[in-house]
Amino acid sequence: ANVLSGPLRLKLKQKGEILGVVIVESGWGSILPTVIIASMMHAGPAEKSVRLNIGDQIMTINGTSLVGLPLSTCQSIIKGLKSQSRIKLNIVRCPPVTMVLIRRPDLRYQLGFSVQNGIICSLMRGGIAERGGVRVGHRIIEINSQSVVATPHEKIVQILSNAMGEIHMKTMPAAMYRLLTAQEQPVYI
């Protein structure tokens, strides 16, 4: 239901004007590895279009596919649009927060991912975490409706180690989390 099909044609901006977005990687383990909009410049062309949202995945831009390309390449492609006034985007609408559901019948099952400072840093291929939607590079925001934003690393590990049955988590790309919590200043392109 949250998939937007078809292209967005945006008469976005003046020639020489930037699009006004910050993009981040969607995270390893996502169905389509591409970039997502993490921030939009206040009153910039992207925000003024009213058609783009934080969390949107960009599939193609002016006919160039961004799927599977490194972040730096995608940034260069977007920067290269400065001379254009019309931009055609193919996007998939995604909420900025990823809902994860891990089914762990008992503690003998390994969760199959590792965490450092609330950020998922590795994932076991084919494990229960990967099947549940865990993505490398994402920051854990919530575990079973309990916010872990201000929770120390040891406590997060303890909560996860003892969790059984259905484990519900909310995660988002760590780079987006840092922007939203003002730990990082956005650099718009």
Side-chain angles (χ1 to χ4, degrees), residues 10-21 37 40-52 81-82 84-87 89 188-189:
L10 303 177
K11 167 86 176 85
L12 269 180
K13 56 189 201 66
Q14 306 299 313
K15 285 190 170 148
E17 196 179 14
I18 63 169
L19 188 55
V21 293
I37 297 173
M40 288 190 281
M41 188 167 78
H42 178 63
E47 189 183 81
K48 281 197 298 207
S49 77
V50 191
R51 314 253 319 262
L52 295 171
L81 300 170
K82 235 174 135 168
Q84 314 279 324
S85 60
R86 289 181 183 278
I87 294 178
L89 296 156
Y188 295 106
I189 58 173

Side-chain angles (χ1 to χ4, degrees), residues 1-69:
N2 65 354
V3 173
L4 177 84
S5 54
L8 273 183
R9 279 186 175 75
L10 303 177
K11 167 86 176 85
L12 269 180
K13 56 189 201 66
Q14 306 299 313
K15 285 190 170 148
E17 196 179 14
I18 63 169
L19 188 55
V21 293
V22 175
I23 54 171
V24 299
E25 287 163 320
S26 54
W28 183 79
S30 56
I31 299 162
L32 286 161
T34 186
V35 292
I36 58 180
I37 297 173
S39 181
M40 288 190 281
M41 188 167 78
H42 178 63
E47 189 183 81
K48 281 197 298 207
S49 77
V50 191
R51 314 253 319 262
L52 295 171
N53 295 298
I54 288 175
D56 286 353
Q57 292 188 310
I58 306 173
M59 298 292 132
T60 66
I61 192 155
N62 281 6
T64 305
S65 173
L66 302 187
V67 176
L69 296 180

